[in-house]
Structures are given as C-alpha cells and as structure tokens.
Amino acid sequence: MPRHVGIIMDGNGRWAAARGLPRLEGHRRGAERLFEVIDACIDLGIGTLTVFAFSAENWKRPQEEVSGLFKLGEWLLRAHLSRLHRRKVRLRVIGDVASLPDFARGPLLEAVEASAGHDAFTLVVALNYGARQEAAQAARKLAEEVVAGRLRAEQIDWTVLESRLDTAGQPDPDLIIRTSGEFRLSNFLLLQSAYAEIHIAKEYWPDFGRPQLEAALDDYRSRERRFGMTGQQVQGAPPAP
Ligand code: IPE
Ligand code: IPE
Ligand code: MG
C-alpha cells in the first residue's frame, strides 16, 4: 500500500459540459466525491493524501469560476469539518495561502490548527500551489539564510532543500493519480514525485470513487519500483552474470 497518494482532480468542467450543466456544478459534484475518497484512503490504511484543488495557474480562469471555487471550498470545509475531526484527520495546506481571499483563508487556517493533534490520517490540500513557485520560494529562503550567515552554500543538498519546501516533513508521494485521461503533471509536486508511480484514470473526477481508487492501487501494486537499481537487486536475486 502506498504511504502517500497524490491526486490531480481533473475533469470537473468536462463532466459538467457533457451534461449541459455549468462548470461550477461539476466542481460541486467533484468536491463531494473527495470525501468518499478520503474515507476509502483511511479504510485502506493510506497515511497521507494530497489533493490538487487549485493551481497557481488556475487564476487565469474566468473570474466567476475562480470566485465560485473559493466559495465552494469555504462551504465544503464548514459542511465537513466535524466529520474530518471525527475521523481524526489532520489537515494541512500547501501553496501560497497568504494570497487567498480572506473569507477562505481564515476558516482554513483555523481548521489546520485545530486538527494539528490528529495523527490517524493527513489530508494535504494544494491550494494556489505550483511546484515551480514552491521551488523558487525555497531557493529564496536558502539564499536569505546564506546571506544572513546561518547556512553555508556548500551545505545545500537535497535534504536541506527539501526541508524548505511546503511539504517539509511529509513523505514523498508513492503514487500520483490523475483523472480525466490527461497525461501531465501540470506543476503538481514535481520534485517530490521524482520516484512516484503515475496512474491515469480515464474517469472525470466527479465519476471517481472507491472502485476507481482500488483500480489505481491495483495498478500501483503491479509496478516494480527500482529507484535506479536493477530488477534483480530489487527482487533480492543474485546479480546477473
Ligand atoms: C479540475 O477540473 C478542477 C480544477 C482545476 C479546479 P477542471 O475544471 O480542470 O475540469 P476540465 O479539465 O476543464 O474538464
Ligand atoms: C490541474 O488541472 C489543477 C487542478 C486539478 C487543481 P488543470 O485543469 O488546471 O490543468 P491543465 O491546465 O489542463 O494542465
Ligand atoms: Mg482541467
């Protein structure tokens, strides 16, 4: 079982368009789906789920869609907070949270703080997140530390860089799932996914539930993760002549 699963929840707009519904209705249905997937992850013993909810590039969408998404997020949090508490879910956020609208940021940060003691399961929401922006911000922090004399440039290795990313302290994702049949990462956890297995689900996100998650996990279990080694090494067999 993967310790950490990341999901790029894509296809809400096409799901709605296929039914002659407004895009926001697709987002609403998609958002409801998330709670089914969270429950399934907890039941299956996955420790961390990171979901891509809003990318740093999604600000380019029509303004009504952007504001509708934030209103939806705020409403969802209110509607599902007690359920998350009951299931001992620790909530974390990655991305540039400071630039979110006040009405969405306040309750979100409160929920993050209130759930800090939970350890059964971690839900990480990537909001206004972009992996390149995250990397640039980490580089900036390191540069400031070097200038201030707290760090020497030659001390910077992956472990040091990693500890300045938004995801510091979290395990790398083992499996990245993208729905809606698209084969790309769209600026999601680029550095952390260096050795993640990738599963593309053909369903649009509002059609993704427990059976589709189980299919993704079956696919994951069929992979041989080699991390640069040979297949024989991974299988513990004697080296090939
Ligand atoms: C994913 O669904 C949700 C967000 C990006 C917020 P989309 O809105 O991207 O749906 P499609 O890709 O247009 O179908
Ligand atoms: C990625 O989906 C972002 C989220 C799922 C939040 P997009 O729909 O924004 O990605 P592109 O633009 O098709 O690559
Ligand atoms: Mg999309």
Side-chain angles (χ1 to χ4, degrees), residues 8-10 52-55 58 61 178 184 186:
I8 303 172
M9 307 183 290
D10 196 16
F52 205 4
F54 189 85
S55 79
N58 286 147
R61 295 189 177 201
R178 183 170 188 147
R184 59 177 173 273
S186 302

Side-chain angles (χ1 to χ4, degrees), residues 92 94 134 161-171 192:
R92 299 185 68 163
I94 56 170
E134 177 192 37
L161 173 60
E162 184 183 40
S163 68
R164 270 67 167 185
L165 296 174
D166 294 0
T167 51
Q170 294 168 31
Q192 298 87 340

Side-chain angles (χ1 to χ4, degrees), residues 9-208:
M9 307 183 290
D10 196 16
N12 294 346
R14 279 164 286 163
W15 182 92
R19 288 160 181 79
L21 296 169
R23 289 180 60 86
L24 271 171
E25 184 56 22
H27 293 313
R28 201 185 62 74
R29 293 290 290 265
E32 290 290 346
R33 264 311 161 103
L34 176 58
F35 294 90
E36 179 185 336
V37 172
I38 292 171
D39 282 344
C41 286
I42 297 174
D43 297 345
L44 291 162
I46 293 163
T48 304
L49 172 70
T50 299
V51 290
F52 205 4
F54 189 85
S55 79
E57 288 74 27
N58 286 147
W59 294 105
K60 297 179 202 162
R61 295 189 177 201
Q63 208 242 308
E64 316 81 72
E65 180 168 345
V66 171
S67 58
L69 275 166
F70 285 120
K71 280 186 205 131
L72 176 65
E74 193 263 335
W75 177 83
L76 272 173
L77 185 66
R78 220 158 359 103
H80 290 274
L81 198 57
S82 57
R83 176 170 166 184
L84 292 176
H85 271 302
R86 247 193 338 271
R87 297 222 69 178
K88 303 238 176 308
V89 173
R90 176 169 186 186
L91 181 68
R92 299 185 68 163
V93 219
I94 56 170
D96 180 8
V97 181
S99 316
L100 297 179
D102 289 346
F103 76 90
R105 192 183 59 244
L108 188 67
L109 293 182
E110 267 171 42
V112 167
E113 212 174 292
S115 72
H118 292 332
D119 56 6
F121 177 77
T122 303
L123 171 68
V124 185
V125 183
L127 256 181
N128 193 15
Y129 174 84
R132 288 178 166 180
Q133 292 82 343
E134 177 192 37
Q137 199 201 12
R140 210 152 50 229
K141 280 187 207 161
L142 292 170
E144 283 164 5
E145 291 173 48
V146 170
V147 168
R150 294 196 301 274
L151 185 72
R152 280 179 293 112
E154 54 282 14
Q155 288 176 303
I156 300 173
D157 58 10
W158 168 244
T159 308
V160 171
L161 173 60
E162 184 183 40
S163 68
R164 270 67 167 185
L165 296 174
D166 294 0
T167 51
Q170 294 168 31
D172 281 342
D174 301 295
L175 170 65
I176 298 286
I177 300 171
R178 183 170 188 147
T179 58
S180 85
E182 303 285 2
F183 284 71
R184 59 177 173 273
L185 291 171
S186 302
N187 208 11
F188 183 57
L189 297 179
L190 298 183
L191 291 171
Q192 298 87 340
S193 297
Y195 274 98
E197 297 297 327
I198 299 179
H199 173 86
I200 307 296
K202 64 178 186 318
E203 294 82 8
Y204 294 141
W205 174 247
D207 289 330
F208 189 94

